[in-house]
Amino acid sequence: MNEPVISASPMTPVTELPAKKAHVIVLGNEKGGSGKTTTCMHIIVSLLRLGFTVGSIDIDSRQRSLSRYLENRRQTMLKEGVSLPQPQHLVLQRSPFNIVQEAEEDERERFTKALSRLSAANDFIVIDSPGSDTYLSRVAHAYANTVITPINDSFVDLDVLATVDGQTMKIVKPSIYSEMVWEQKLNRAKRDGGSIEWIVMRNRLSNIDAKNKRFMTQVTGDLARRIGFRVAPGFSERVIFREMFLQGLTVLDIMDAAGKSSMSLSHVAARQEVRDLLKTLHIPLVDERLNKNRSDESSQDDNEEAVAPVAKEEEKKIEEKLEAKAEEKIVELAS
């Protein structure tokens, strides 16, 4: 893999960030398997296809999920002879120093150099972080304009945000991760007077109106008011979101290549979910570009938005049939 790796000596002066900074989006969650990299990749490609220049940073140098996603994308371009939008990508290695203070100084230096380099050439910088607590992750959160925390729609994953009483469904206390985000908000305010918009994205949503789903809606709403984040609509549980990693593709790439005639209802609904997420971010530059594209392609958008609810309804019927069959099987086995 040939991604540039940023390294620096802790004795080197910290590079000053340019006056005009790119908008920094950090995907953060200290639990793995929440869909951070998939969300990260879809946001990157969405911004690129809106005409923005995008830099990306992978600070999970061990797993390198985003880097491998982008490498798969490059391989697809070479094998298929197609052109796909690509971000300017960097990988940050963890410091080799054993002394904590030296290691943290080194990693902060690595990060600020990478951020400075990408800020000078891009409108947006999207950062994928590891599913664990690291110093690099904390630094990245402190420099974010927007933090997006994807969580699977279950109480197991909600634990990354807060401890919830299983009997009363009341919030007992915020989690360590929530406290970390608040700490970085304070650090950001002290450093440059900036603010961090925190968005929690409920991922892998089921189309069935289950009891768990209603409880999650109630608890995340209460938690949003108490801790101070906004809840965003996430991606439904779709096979197409999982099967594109090996090709380095996103829903937007597939629909662009396939054309209208080859679009399935599931593709249309998935694409609308990506657009809904972008709208929920409330980033002025993005909203302006989305509105412009909507006016330029109003008929296509209207058709897709009209089809998307139909697609979700069809998927809901399929899920309900599968659920009913599963229950029948359980009863059969039990008897």
Side-chain angles (χ1 to χ4, degrees), residues 26 48 50 53 65 74 94 110-111 127 217 245 262 282 294:
V26 172
L48 287 168
L50 282 172
T53 52
S65 297
R74 284 191 287 272
R94 295 187 67 175
R110 291 168 187 258
F111 182 82
I127 302 174
T217 300
F245 171 79
S262 302
H282 295 165
R294 183 175 176 81

Side-chain angles (χ1 to χ4, degrees), residues 207-208 311-325:
N207 289 312
I208 299 174
K312 287 197 173 186
E313 187 61 33
E314 290 297 322
E315 289 176 336
K316 180 179 177 181
K317 289 178 182 177
I318 293 171
E319 283 189 20
E320 287 174 343
K321 286 180 182 178
L322 292 174
E323 188 101 346
K325 286 182 179 180

Side-chain angles (χ1 to χ4, degrees), residues 155 164-172 215-216 218-219 222:
F155 283 102
V164 178
D165 188 298
Q167 300 297 321
T168 65
M169 292 297 154
K170 299 295 183 183
I171 299 155
V172 178
F215 279 153
M216 280 291 293
Q218 174 192 329
V219 175
D222 293 343

Side-chain angles (χ1 to χ4, degrees), residues 23-179:
H23 188 103
V24 179
I25 301 173
V26 172
L27 277 293
N29 185 332
E30 290 178 5
K31 182 181 182 301
S34 62
K36 283 196 305 292
T37 300
T38 299
T39 304
C40 191
M41 190 66 180
H42 276 78
I43 289 174
I44 289 170
V45 174
S46 297
L47 293 171
L48 287 168
R49 289 192 175 277
L50 282 172
F52 294 111
T53 52
V54 181
S56 57
I57 304 177
D58 192 342
I59 60 174
D60 187 358
S61 59
R62 182 175 175 83
Q63 293 292 335
R64 293 194 178 200
S65 297
L66 178 61
S67 301
R68 288 189 293 114
Y69 208 138
L70 289 167
E71 177 59 29
N72 292 340
R73 189 175 182 83
R74 284 191 287 272
Q75 291 302 316
T76 295
M77 291 170 66
L78 290 173
K79 291 175 183 176
E80 303 297 330
V82 296
S83 178
L84 297 169
Q86 288 271 73
Q88 182 183 0
H89 186 63
L90 300 176
V91 181
L92 263 63
Q93 296 281 11
R94 295 187 67 175
S95 174
F97 297 115
N98 293 323
I99 299 173
V100 173
Q101 185 176 356
E102 288 185 357
E104 290 183 352
E105 287 177 359
D106 183 39
E107 289 182 356
R108 180 176 287 275
E109 175 70 15
R110 291 168 187 258
F111 182 82
T112 54
K113 283 186 68 175
L115 201 63
S116 179
R117 175 178 168 183
L118 293 178
S119 290
N122 295 285
D123 302 311
F124 289 89
I125 299 172
V126 184
I127 302 174
D128 195 20
S129 64
S132 59
D133 175 41
T134 67
Y135 182 73
L136 264 177
S137 182
R138 278 175 267 147
V139 171
H141 279 70
Y143 279 88
N145 299 105
T146 303
V147 170
I148 301 175
T149 301
I151 62 169
N152 293 325
D153 209 44
S154 74
F155 283 102
V156 173
D157 286 69
L158 189 66
D159 195 59
V160 80
L161 299 176
T163 300
V164 178
D165 188 298
Q167 300 297 321
T168 65
M169 292 297 154
K170 299 295 183 183
I171 299 155
V172 178
K173 62 179 180 178
S175 69
I176 295 174
Y177 176 73
S178 294
E179 290 174 352

